[in-house]
Amino acid sequence: MGCRAAPSCAAAAAAAAAPAGAEQRRRPQPCPPPRPPPPALLPLLLLLGLGLLHAGDCQQPAQCRIQKCTTDFVSLTSHLNSAIDGFDSEFCKALRAYAGCTQRTSKACRGNLVYHSAVLGISDLMSQRNCSKDGPTSSTNPEVTHDPCNYHSHAGAREHGGGDLSPPSYLFCGLFGDPHLRTFKDHFQTCKVEGAWPLIDNNYLSVQVTNVPVVPGSSATATNKVTVIFKAHGACTEQKVYQAVSDDLPAAFVDGSTSGGDGDAKSLVVRERESGRAVEMHARYIGTTVFVRQLGRYLTLALRMPEALAMAYEESQDLQLCVHGCPLAERIDDGRGRVSAILGRPAPPPGPGFSLEAAHARCRERVPLQDLYFQSCVFDLLTTGDANFSAAARSALEDVAALHPRRERWHLFPGGGGPAGAGAGAGGGAGGARALGAGLAGLLLLRLL
């Protein structure tokens, strides 16, 4: 017999087997409406909506389409990143579309726990994101959502059009400190690279940094100038140039504008993240985000860009540090990112302002895991004596968390180890600290020589 919303399957079977008199004596009482689930269960229940868990003998009616609603919502939001311009607007559109879908299937899903959980979850998310109930909604039809000046939109249209079915992949590159480079391939290098060097030079974007000596008589350098060129791209934007130098981090392009492109939805914008200290640029038409910070007297840079565009360059544009890393003659690590790899050399005199123990303690406050960012922090403090370099290491990791597409690759460890090796690095005790100290001492001696 069909299963009603109120009684359970077991109760329905027992009622069918009971004598007629008993049936009259025990008239079924209506069940109270389903209670909202606790918030902690919402992630599990959303997984239920995706069909990872199914009902047993009591099948919900086939016309309940909550699974389809949830799948569409995931499809509309899976490519979004909270650090990218326009995230809130696109997320709210997707939420309104999700809410509309659940309303259209509400009758068929009456009594469906997954449905009621989804409705509650949508309400919570709309409150958290300050989304209005009225407004534009996302569409699963790529012909409707196609926007030539929104990379996510036309990349999705290509996928639905029979091209590559996987979502567009993104790459991360960062530069900070003395200076330490993280390439698109997640190779971590410490370099000299004094003067002007191109980080990126492809068909869509050019990024150049200028590095100057930090300590007289040493090869240690740091970045004091960043130039970013967004190349003209059809009707989306004319060429725009951004330039920052130490103590001058403008929230505008060199022509005084703060955006590029026509219309209300600008395809290129620059804005302040922190007055005089941090700036972000969002290029919607190429799906690219650039962060520039000033910490102390020097600048840091972090960038996220679609792989297909980052690799679009000519043979003459092969000198790109984000793509190929620093030239061998400019590198001072062991080839696997470790600045503490040169062992067995006499220790130089203590650095200006920090002993090894003091540098170790300061960097532990900023970078708790003994990963390559921690090693770089210690190295920079011993080399320069400038405490701002510990803040640069911390900020560089924050930018990784905001922009890097793969969470499991946020932390890099000596020798190429992943997070599983963190325990050995963090708990190595005095022996690990001595090895790190000896290696850094040798490397500092090379710097001084």
Side-chain angles (χ1 to χ4, degrees):
M1 61 179 290
C3 184
R4 297 168 58 193
S8 66
C9 291
E23 175 67 19
Q24 292 175 356
R25 289 192 301 269
R26 296 194 305 272
R27 302 187 64 181
Q29 298 298 318
C31 291
R35 295 166 57 190
L41 291 179
L42 287 178
L44 174 60
L45 294 172
L46 288 177
L47 288 177
L48 284 168
L50 287 172
L52 296 180
L53 298 174
H54 299 277
D57 296 330
C58 271
Q59 300 277 336
Q60 289 295 337
Q63 63 266 32
C64 178
R65 298 175 59 82
I66 186 61
Q67 179 177 334
K68 177 67 164 58
C69 295
T70 304
T71 301
D72 287 347
F73 174 71
V74 172
S75 175
L76 289 168
T77 57
S78 59
H79 68 278
L80 298 179
N81 185 290
S82 58
I84 295 177
D85 183 46
F87 169 83
D88 288 333
S89 173
E90 294 299 318
F91 194 80
C92 288
K93 287 181 182 178
L95 274 177
R96 284 190 288 265
Y98 193 9
C101 185
T102 59
Q103 289 170 5
R104 289 190 294 273
T105 193
S106 59
K107 285 188 177 181
C109 295
R110 184 176 301 166
N112 186 319
L113 185 60
V114 177
Y115 166 80
H116 290 287
S117 302
V119 171
L120 181 61
I122 292 168
S123 177
D124 287 344
L125 286 172
M126 293 189 81
S127 297
Q128 293 171 18
R129 294 288 173 181
N130 294 321
C131 301
S132 62
K133 292 185 178 180
D134 299 320
T137 62
S138 299
S139 170
T140 55
N141 182 354
E143 298 300 324
V144 176
T145 59
H146 176 65
D147 177 357
C149 293
N150 184 333
Y151 180 80
H152 304 301
S153 171
H154 60 74
R158 285 198 302 272
E159 294 160 22
H160 289 281
D164 184 6
L165 294 180
S166 61
S169 59
Y170 291 84
L171 302 176
F172 173 87
C173 182
L175 186 78
F176 71 98
D178 185 13
H180 308 287
L181 171 71
R182 181 168 180 161
T183 72
F184 281 148
K185 295 180 181 179
D186 282 331
H187 295 164
F188 197 95
Q189 303 173 354
T190 299
C191 311
K192 295 179 286 188
V193 289
E194 182 178 348
W197 289 81
L199 292 183
I200 295 173
D201 184 19
N202 56 48
N203 297 340
Y204 304 90
L205 181 73
S206 292
V207 179
Q208 179 175 284
V209 296
T210 302
N211 302 315
V212 295
V214 176
V215 179
S218 167
S219 60
T221 65
T223 303
N224 75 339
K225 182 178 180 181
V226 172
T227 302
V228 183
I229 302 174
F230 295 92
K231 300 180 181 181
H233 191 79
C236 298
T237 185
E238 64 277 25
Q239 179 170 292
K240 290 288 183 178
V241 180
Y242 177 83
Q243 192 167 90
V245 296
S246 294
D247 299 321
D248 184 13
L249 207 64
F253 297 108
V254 295
D255 62 3
S257 65
T258 59
S259 62
D262 299 326
D264 295 331
K266 301 297 184 181
S267 58
L268 173 64
V269 294
V270 56
R271 62 169 65 101
E272 269 188 338
R273 299 178 68 198
E274 182 182 349
S275 180
R277 311 297 295 175
V279 167
E280 61 186 25
M281 287 160 270
H282 300 279
R284 293 173 58 245
Y285 66 101
I286 54 174
T288 297
T289 300
V290 183
F291 290 171
V292 181
R293 298 177 185 258
Q294 176 166 343
L295 294 146
R297 294 173 294 163
Y298 303 106
L299 307 177
T300 71
L301 180 136
L303 176 143
R304 168 186 165 114
M305 189 173 194
E307 182 177 9
L309 306 188
M311 296 295 112
Y313 58 88
E314 308 298 328
E315 289 186 10
S316 60
Q317 300 170 299
D318 62 335
L319 182 58
Q320 302 182 59
L321 301 191
C322 284
V323 177
H324 302 296
C326 298
L328 287 176
E330 297 291 330
R331 292 181 56 180
I332 58 170
D333 54 71
D334 70 337
R336 290 181 291 177
R338 295 184 297 185
V339 294
S340 61
I342 305 168
L343 303 174
R345 296 180 179 270
F354 279 92
S355 65
L356 176 60
E357 292 75 16
H360 223 272
R362 180 60 177 257
C363 291
R364 266 193 174 281
E365 295 174 0
R366 299 287 187 166
V367 187
L369 285 177
Q370 288 196 12
D371 61 359
L372 291 175
Y373 288 86
F374 174 85
Q375 283 198 2
S376 300
C377 173
V378 174
F379 172 74
D380 290 353
L381 294 187
L382 293 177
T383 303
T384 68
D386 185 347
N388 289 299
F389 280 95
S390 64
R394 171 73 180 188
S395 296
L397 261 180
E398 291 174 354
D399 291 343
V400 169
L403 298 178
H404 197 288
R406 296 177 56 190
R407 184 185 182 92
E408 72 274 13
R409 298 292 297 167
W410 287 358
H411 291 278
L412 299 176
F413 292 90
R434 284 194 295 270
L436 175 64
L440 288 169
L443 187 58
L444 286 169
L445 183 60
L446 285 187
R447 276 282 203 187
L448 294 171
L449 293 176

